[in-house]
Amino acid sequence: MLWPRKERVSMKIRIVSEDPAQLEVGWLVVGMFEDQPDPPSWLSETPGADTIRRLIASRDLSGGLGEASALHAMLGPSSGSMLVVGLGPSDRFGMGEAFDSGVLVGKRLGGRSRESVGLVVPEVGARAPELASAMLQGVLVGTSGPGLAKSEPARFPFQELRVCVPPGSSSELGQIEQTLGRAEILGRAINLARELVNLPPGRKTPSLLADRIRTEAGLADLTVTIWDQDRIRRERFGGLLGVSAGSDEPPAFVILDWLGAADPQAPALALVGKGITFDSGGLSLKPSASMEDMKADMSGAAIVTAAMTAIARLELPVNVRAFLPLAENMTGGRAMKLGDVLTMRNGKTVEVMNTDAEGRLILADALSYAAEQAPSRIIDLATLTGSCMVALGPKVAGLFSNDETTAQAVQSAAEAVGERLWPLPMDVDFRESLKSPVADLKNVGSKWGGASIAGKFLEEFVAGRPWAHLDIAGPAWADSDSSTRDAGGTGCFVRTLVRLAEEGVTP
């Protein structure tokens, strides 16, 4: 049975240019920087100005990122309440900080139904439009909680959100209006990725997830093709078949197409997302504690799906194709065994020496097929290795590439939207430990440099095409709740992929 599609509750969003102190809303959200000695200028003549100054002086309002303080009747006896949100140091307030601040607002005020909320755009000059867009994306994410299976909702979208540009900043009004629609599309795409990741594994088997992707893609006017197990077998996807052999649930392979360029035959940007809907480790069985979040092992596929819906809804003039291999990695009687040899789509053979290194096997087929389509570039996203988390921690993705221009394009897109990644080496010596006496490759190598070895394995299947691999094992999932993040799927790098498409990666 397919989990019911989550109802999309619409939040009415509009932009206004007026004195924020006169804005008639239930809550007014005001950002303050850590190095800001006085409240914003428009607050200076209000009854609460002196109170706010005293709180700043006593450091009860520090302006630290992630801090929020509720103040009441600050604008007058009949006014609504004010939420003062810390923005951190002004010289370090970028897209990532703006997004996180928006999430904080959504989480703090979304715990109950709110009729109207006003969000005052920070006084940041020419950066106001893009930072307001990032904050709005964050608000949309913050008001959408992870509680898909709760009998009562724990988070509510605001009935109306007014994005307020203070008088004197009217030159930015038109630009902010232009970014507002884009921000709403991106926020909802991030929430789609989170929702797919947070679905229980029994509700998103490969076939069910493929059906859900078909529905979402159809709503965004994407072209969808889904291969069943027979077609996958005919197409010689030995890795996908091998990984899924231990499950009663058959695999699926999903192709999404957006041909928005003037020439639909022009080379497309290829996006590949790992889609292991549950990873037990196979016969190389994971400990129970390590399986608890393995419903998230399809984060790459969820993120790519969400990014594709945003690209289509934005009607970007580019060609982009997505390739999503979907499978369960289980321990049934037909499960692949250590020492088995699989033949991949491109004809290379792989000796399986660890069934818990399964993601690279299904990606090998998908990358091979994507490379055959002569794309301009290939970008893959996968929750691939714990080694990457050991190296970079839980909030930074590892970047691996065979092409400096492609790596720089991905890094530039991530920096532009405030998402964090770090280049890791993929030198030729990492290939040495993948040598097998009986096949072209092993699927694992030395215990040292595991993330780089995994990247080197994937490189064998891109046919020399410009390619970048993002190991998102850390940032795709949050173990715990915080002021700017919900526990569960994060929807990371949806913004990066959309920015990459917007920057015209495809010719």
Side-chain angles (χ1 to χ4, degrees), residues 279-286 291 329-331 354-356 358:
D279 183 18
S280 71
L283 295 183
S284 303
L285 192 66
K286 293 179 182 289
M291 276 191 236
N329 186 26
M330 301 295 284
T331 59
N354 188 326
T355 64
D356 196 22
E358 84 299 328

Side-chain angles (χ1 to χ4, degrees), residues 122-383:
E123 297 174 352
V124 288
R127 297 189 301 153
E130 63 175 5
L131 294 175
S133 173
M135 289 187 77
L136 176 54
Q137 294 167 42
V139 170
L140 290 165
V141 170
T143 53
S144 178
L148 297 174
K150 290 183 180 293
S151 57
E152 296 291 337
R155 210 75 60 77
F156 300 86
F158 310 142
Q159 293 180 39
E160 181 184 50
L161 177 66
R162 299 183 200 174
V163 181
C164 183
V165 180
S169 306
S170 57
S171 60
E172 300 152 6
L173 185 63
Q175 292 176 291
I176 293 176
E177 285 179 333
Q178 291 176 10
T179 66
L180 196 145
R182 176 186 180 276
E184 187 169 2
I185 287 171
L186 277 173
R188 300 196 188 287
I190 295 166
N191 282 338
L192 171 60
R194 296 170 63 217
E195 182 181 339
L196 294 177
V197 171
N198 289 334
L199 284 171
R203 300 286 187 171
K204 60 177 179 190
T205 62
S207 58
L208 289 179
L209 182 57
D211 285 342
R212 175 63 185 276
I213 292 172
R214 189 204 306 272
T215 298
E216 297 294 341
L219 292 171
D221 292 329
L222 290 164
T223 301
V224 190
T225 305
I226 298 177
W227 295 356
D228 62 13
Q229 184 166 259
D230 289 341
R231 176 68 184 274
I232 290 168
R233 185 172 289 109
R234 292 198 302 273
E235 296 289 345
R236 310 183 313 281
F237 277 34
L240 188 53
L241 291 169
V243 171
S244 63
S247 173
D248 289 339
E249 299 291 342
F253 185 65
V254 181
I255 303 169
L256 303 176
D257 289 314
W258 171 252
L259 303 179
D263 178 8
Q265 302 300 318
L269 169 66
L271 303 178
V272 178
K274 174 186 170 184
I276 296 294
T277 60
F278 186 75
D279 183 18
S280 71
L283 295 183
S284 303
L285 192 66
K286 293 179 182 289
S288 178
S290 299
M291 276 191 236
E292 291 176 358
D293 59 2
M294 282 300 104
K295 67 181 182 181
D297 213 15
M298 40 64 70
S299 293
I303 291 162
V304 169
T305 296
M308 289 294 289
T309 66
I311 288 167
R313 289 194 169 101
L314 291 168
E315 298 182 346
L316 298 184
V318 293
N319 293 340
V320 189
R321 303 191 72 194
F323 306 91
L324 311 173
L326 310 178
E328 276 188 347
N329 186 26
M330 301 295 284
T331 59
R334 294 184 177 85
M336 60 182 180
K337 306 170 182 67
L338 275 66
D340 276 348
V341 175
L342 307 177
T343 302
M344 304 293 134
R345 164 77 184 189
N346 69 352
K348 291 189 178 182
T349 56
V350 177
E351 183 182 16
V352 177
M353 297 308 293
N354 188 326
T355 64
D356 196 22
E358 84 299 328
R360 64 199 71 184
L361 297 176
I362 69 170
L363 287 172
D365 286 329
L367 290 169
S368 297
Y369 184 77
E372 292 170 17
Q373 313 313 307
S376 58
R377 287 185 170 98
I378 304 173
I379 313 295
D380 81 74
L381 291 88
T383 46

